[in-house]
Amino acid sequence: MSETRQQRPGPGAPSATELIHHGYQPPAGFGSPAVPVHKGSTVYFDSVAALRDHHWLDKQAYTYGLHGTPTTFTLEARLATLEGARHVLLAPSGLAALTTVDMALLAAGDTVLLPDNAYHPSKEFARHELAHWGIAYRLYDPLDPASLRAALGADVKLVWLEAPGSVTMEFPDLPALVRIVREAAPQAVVALDNTWGAGLAFSPFDLAGLDGQGVDLTIHALTKYPSGGGDVLMGSIACRDDALYRRLALAHSRLGVGVGANDVELVLRALPSLPLRYAAQDAAGRRVARWAASQAPLVRRVLHPAMPGSPGHAHWQATCRAAAGLLTLEFDPAIAADAVDAFVDGLQRFRIGWSWGGPVSLAVPYQAARLRQLGTPYEGVLVRLSIGLEDPDDLIADLAAGLARLASAARG
């Protein structure tokens, strides 16, 4: 068998070196709605002096792919505008953004406060990882400001707010909660999960009644409305204060938290349509909520901040200019959990799956008692609906057919 040899390029054929060190530069002056996708872990410097002099914290220079490229800096700048912030950092998911804040701002001996209706993985991170590191957590009732005041102390370094609450959609009195923290625990940073608001429903950094002093930082699961396609995982951390940004950014760097340029491209592409999609899903969500409110006795209550009677509705009215396309149905307590599961299984226009904010409507059942540690006012099984971009009449017809099947099964 003859020996295989590596062939040298023939006359006119490029060498590997020439392919790597190609001198072509595209002509200047090309403009397009699409932001160029800049990929790279390594960033070139003109000299050793430039390598040593470049710093990434102020985003005036590029040093390493993990610290940002023109593509990620563009998304961060646009998100800062959306959120009304000065600084933004990107993370691989909303949960990664949330846990990065925890790890950046908390140390052994500190305590973090969370609302009892917070995003469940956030509470689990506090219960397991933070506890393992000697960081305590306490829960408070977000609809009872006195509960928050009682939980505050000199050990509290971070207070999380969530508006509205996960699954059960209670909307708290955000200005009152922030004011209580400022008065009783001025050392604490106030952080808000602003995923539902999406930078559009209200302005958390400028909450009314607080002399322009709202929350200190927000996290945003860009997976939801900013992405809009149900195909990207990403999160962000936004703040205005330079010193706070430095604390967050340095921890972000040490943790090695980064995002892929192609995912950033998808969020940048979707961002201009965010206000249109959010408004459409808001309107459709309210329409479905109004219809569902008329479906007693099977539907005991509709949980949606813009609906009168929903917990915290008055606070939503005082704070917000919009609402997202999320609502939760509380079923009659007499209806068994397996019957509600069958109702969800039978829906044709709603798919079953986690997350929300995409074009496809979703439905997920929950056992109310498992969502809270401080007790729950919800007796029936809950079904959270994420309203997508379908015709709301089709969604209502699907839900109506499902409720008819549920009623028939109950009679049988």
Side-chain angles (χ1 to χ4, degrees):
M1 186 172 182
S2 61
E3 181 181 0
T4 301
R5 300 180 186 273
Q6 182 175 354
Q7 298 295 315
R8 296 281 301 169
S15 70
T17 300
E18 290 171 321
L19 289 175
I20 293 169
H21 294 275
H22 201 285
Y24 173 79
Q25 294 292 325
F30 178 80
S32 167
V35 175
V37 179
H38 295 268
K39 300 179 184 179
S41 52
T42 296
V43 175
Y44 294 143
F45 298 89
D46 292 335
S47 66
V48 173
L51 182 147
R52 291 173 177 161
D53 290 343
H54 278 52
H55 302 285
W56 59 270
L57 273 174
D58 62 0
K59 299 184 181 178
Q60 298 304 307
Y62 305 104
T63 59
Y64 184 60
L66 199 57
H67 298 153
T69 71
T71 310
T72 59
F73 282 5
T74 299
L75 179 56
E76 289 169 349
R78 293 187 182 180
L79 291 172
T81 299
L82 174 68
E83 298 263 8
R86 178 179 171 85
H87 306 284
V88 167
L89 297 163
L90 300 177
S93 67
L95 180 58
L98 201 154
T99 57
T100 296
V101 171
D102 285 343
M103 289 185 283
L105 302 182
L106 297 167
D110 293 342
T111 296
V112 58
L113 301 188
L114 301 111
D116 194 29
N117 60 0
Y119 179 50
H120 182 70
S122 178
K123 293 195 288 186
E124 287 295 284
F125 185 74
R127 192 163 73 94
H128 293 279
E129 279 71 26
L130 293 185
H132 178 74
W133 300 328
I135 300 167
Y137 79 97
R138 291 196 286 272
L139 301 175
Y140 66 93
D141 179 352
L143 292 185
D144 179 9
S147 173
L148 172 61
R149 187 179 294 275
L152 290 167
D155 59 327
V156 175
K157 300 300 171 59
L158 177 62
V159 177
W160 280 103
L161 308 176
E162 192 157 333
S166 181
V167 181
T168 45
M169 308 300 292
E170 302 94 344
F171 205 95
D173 186 347
L174 288 174
L177 297 182
V178 175
R179 188 178 300 112
I180 286 170
V181 178
R182 301 287 185 230
E183 293 170 352
Q187 78 284 351
V189 172
V190 181
L192 170 74
D193 184 333
N194 196 30
T195 301
W196 177 91
L200 298 170
F202 63 101
S203 303
F205 291 103
D206 298 302
L207 289 171
L210 289 171
D211 299 323
Q213 295 186 11
V215 303
D216 294 307
L217 68 87
T218 65
I219 72 98
H220 194 162
L222 308 179
T223 306
K224 309 302 198 277
Y225 288 111
S227 161
D231 57 352
V232 174
L233 289 167
M234 196 178 299
S236 65
I237 305 166
C239 68
R240 287 181 172 177
D241 182 77
D242 293 344
L244 177 58
Y245 163 70
R246 184 177 179 84
R247 290 178 67 188
L248 294 166
L250 289 174
H252 181 274
S253 173
R254 290 188 292 264
L255 289 167
V257 177
V259 298
N262 289 112
D263 286 344
V264 173
E265 177 192 22
L266 292 174
V267 178
L268 280 168
R269 183 176 182 176
L271 211 54
S273 66
L274 169 62
L276 297 176
R277 291 183 285 104
Y278 193 89
Q281 287 168 286
D282 177 357
R286 295 194 208 200
R287 185 170 176 184
V288 173
R290 288 192 295 270
W291 172 85
S294 68
Q295 300 305 302
L298 292 177
V299 177
R300 183 186 193 193
R301 179 164 40 170
V302 177
L303 305 173
H304 183 299
M307 288 288 291
S310 187
H313 171 68
H315 304 318
W316 173 85
Q317 281 187 307
T319 304
C320 295
R321 49 187 174 263
L326 283 179
L327 62 143
T328 295
L329 310 180
E330 181 186 11
F331 281 80
D332 185 328
I335 300 174
D338 58 353
V340 177
D341 286 353
F343 161 78
V344 173
D345 284 340
L347 296 175
Q348 300 299 304
R349 303 295 187 181
F350 290 82
R351 303 303 299 266
I352 303 169
W354 305 116
S355 197
W356 38 271
V360 178
S361 293
L362 302 172
V364 177
Y366 292 86
Q367 297 296 318
R370 299 177 184 175
L371 298 174
R372 301 287 181 266
Q373 291 178 236
L374 301 181
T376 177
Y378 308 105
E379 298 179 26
V381 177
L382 307 176
V383 173
R384 186 184 69 187
L385 303 177
S386 168
I387 304 302
L389 293 173
E390 303 95 342
D391 186 326
D393 286 342
D394 292 334
L395 299 178
I396 289 171
D398 190 24
L399 292 168
L403 290 179
R405 289 190 297 270
L406 182 62
S408 176
R411 287 193 299 269

